[in-house]
mmCIF file of all heavy atoms in Angstrom:
data_model
loop_
_atom_site.group_PDB
_atom_site.id
_atom_site.type_symbol
_atom_site.label_atom_id
_atom_site.label_comp_id
_atom_site.label_asym_id
_atom_site.label_seq_id
_atom_site.Cartn_x
_atom_site.Cartn_y
_atom_site.Cartn_z
ATOM 1 N N THR B 566 24.082 25.900 -9.957
ATOM 2 C CA THR B 566 24.462 27.304 -9.814
ATOM 3 C C THR B 566 23.522 28.198 -10.627
ATOM 4 O O THR B 566 23.089 29.255 -10.167
ATOM 5 C CB THR B 566 25.918 27.504 -10.262
ATOM 6 O OG1 THR B 566 26.756 26.712 -9.424
ATOM 7 C CG2 THR B 566 26.328 28.953 -10.147
ATOM 8 N N ARG B 569 20.498 28.567 -8.763
ATOM 9 C CA ARG B 569 20.638 29.539 -7.676
ATOM 10 C C ARG B 569 20.446 30.965 -8.181
ATOM 11 O O ARG B 569 19.849 31.797 -7.505
ATOM 12 C CB ARG B 569 22.023 29.408 -7.033
ATOM 13 C CG ARG B 569 22.154 28.168 -6.155
ATOM 14 C CD ARG B 569 23.261 28.328 -5.144
ATOM 15 N NE ARG B 569 23.378 27.131 -4.317
ATOM 16 C CZ ARG B 569 24.121 26.070 -4.657
ATOM 17 N NH1 ARG B 569 24.813 26.061 -5.780
ATOM 18 N NH2 ARG B 569 24.167 25.022 -3.854
ATOM 19 N N THR B 581 30.199 35.004 -10.101
ATOM 20 C CA THR B 581 29.438 33.923 -10.710
ATOM 21 C C THR B 581 28.087 34.432 -11.185
ATOM 22 O O THR B 581 27.661 34.170 -12.306
ATOM 23 C CB THR B 581 29.219 32.794 -9.679
ATOM 24 O OG1 THR B 581 30.426 32.591 -8.976
ATOM 25 C CG2 THR B 581 28.785 31.535 -10.380
ATOM 26 P P DT D 993 30.300 30.645 -6.483
ATOM 27 O OP1 DT D 993 31.289 31.081 -7.487
ATOM 28 O OP2 DT D 993 28.914 31.126 -6.534
ATOM 29 O "O5'" DT D 993 30.273 29.057 -6.501
ATOM 30 C "C5'" DT D 993 31.472 28.347 -6.782
ATOM 31 C "C4'" DT D 993 31.196 26.871 -6.747
ATOM 32 O "O4'" DT D 993 30.613 26.520 -5.475
ATOM 33 C "C3'" DT D 993 30.227 26.357 -7.809
ATOM 34 O "O3'" DT D 993 30.946 25.510 -8.693
ATOM 35 C "C2'" DT D 993 29.156 25.584 -7.035
ATOM 36 C "C1'" DT D 993 29.808 25.378 -5.677
ATOM 37 N N1 DT D 993 28.896 25.294 -4.516
ATOM 38 C C2 DT D 993 28.810 24.108 -3.849
ATOM 39 O O2 DT D 993 29.438 23.109 -4.166
ATOM 40 N N3 DT D 993 27.962 24.109 -2.778
ATOM 41 C C4 DT D 993 27.206 25.176 -2.321
ATOM 42 O O4 DT D 993 26.487 25.060 -1.345
ATOM 43 C C5 DT D 993 27.338 26.397 -3.074
ATOM 44 C C7 DT D 993 26.568 27.610 -2.683
ATOM 45 C C6 DT D 993 28.171 26.408 -4.131
ATOM 46 P P DG D 994 30.204 24.871 -9.961
ATOM 47 O OP1 DG D 994 31.173 24.853 -11.081
ATOM 48 O OP2 DG D 994 28.881 25.509 -10.132
ATOM 49 O "O5'" DG D 994 30.007 23.375 -9.483
ATOM 50 C "C5'" DG D 994 31.130 22.649 -8.992
ATOM 51 C "C4'" DG D 994 30.718 21.244 -8.654
ATOM 52 O "O4'" DG D 994 29.930 21.269 -7.439
ATOM 53 C "C3'" DG D 994 29.844 20.568 -9.713
ATOM 54 O "O3'" DG D 994 30.227 19.201 -9.800
ATOM 55 C "C2'" DG D 994 28.435 20.699 -9.142
ATOM 56 C "C1'" DG D 994 28.701 20.595 -7.649
ATOM 57 N N9 DG D 994 27.717 21.256 -6.794
ATOM 58 C C8 DG D 994 27.229 22.536 -6.922
ATOM 59 N N7 DG D 994 26.386 22.863 -5.983
ATOM 60 C C5 DG D 994 26.305 21.721 -5.181
ATOM 61 C C6 DG D 994 25.537 21.477 -4.015
ATOM 62 O O6 DG D 994 24.779 22.240 -3.426
ATOM 63 N N1 DG D 994 25.753 20.190 -3.518
ATOM 64 C C2 DG D 994 26.592 19.269 -4.085
ATOM 65 N N2 DG D 994 26.665 18.095 -3.483
ATOM 66 N N3 DG D 994 27.315 19.488 -5.176
ATOM 67 C C4 DG D 994 27.119 20.731 -5.671
ATOM 68 P P DC D 999 10.588 11.081 -6.201
ATOM 69 O OP1 DC D 999 10.099 10.607 -4.886
ATOM 70 O OP2 DC D 999 10.665 10.157 -7.344
ATOM 71 O "O5'" DC D 999 9.696 12.309 -6.660
ATOM 72 C "C5'" DC D 999 9.720 13.558 -5.990
ATOM 73 C "C4'" DC D 999 9.085 14.579 -6.908
ATOM 74 O "O4'" DC D 999 10.090 15.087 -7.798
ATOM 75 C "C3'" DC D 999 8.018 13.960 -7.803
ATOM 76 O "O3'" DC D 999 6.749 14.133 -7.193
ATOM 77 C "C2'" DC D 999 8.138 14.761 -9.098
ATOM 78 C "C1'" DC D 999 9.512 15.404 -9.040
ATOM 79 N N1 DC D 999 10.484 14.956 -10.076
ATOM 80 C C2 DC D 999 11.084 15.899 -10.911
ATOM 81 O O2 DC D 999 10.759 17.086 -10.799
ATOM 82 N N3 DC D 999 11.991 15.484 -11.831
ATOM 83 C C4 DC D 999 12.313 14.191 -11.925
ATOM 84 N N4 DC D 999 13.214 13.841 -12.835
ATOM 85 C C5 DC D 999 11.700 13.218 -11.074
ATOM 86 C C6 DC D 999 10.806 13.635 -10.175
#
Side-chain angles (χ1 to χ4, degrees):
Chain B
T566 299
R569 286 202 180 87
T581 317

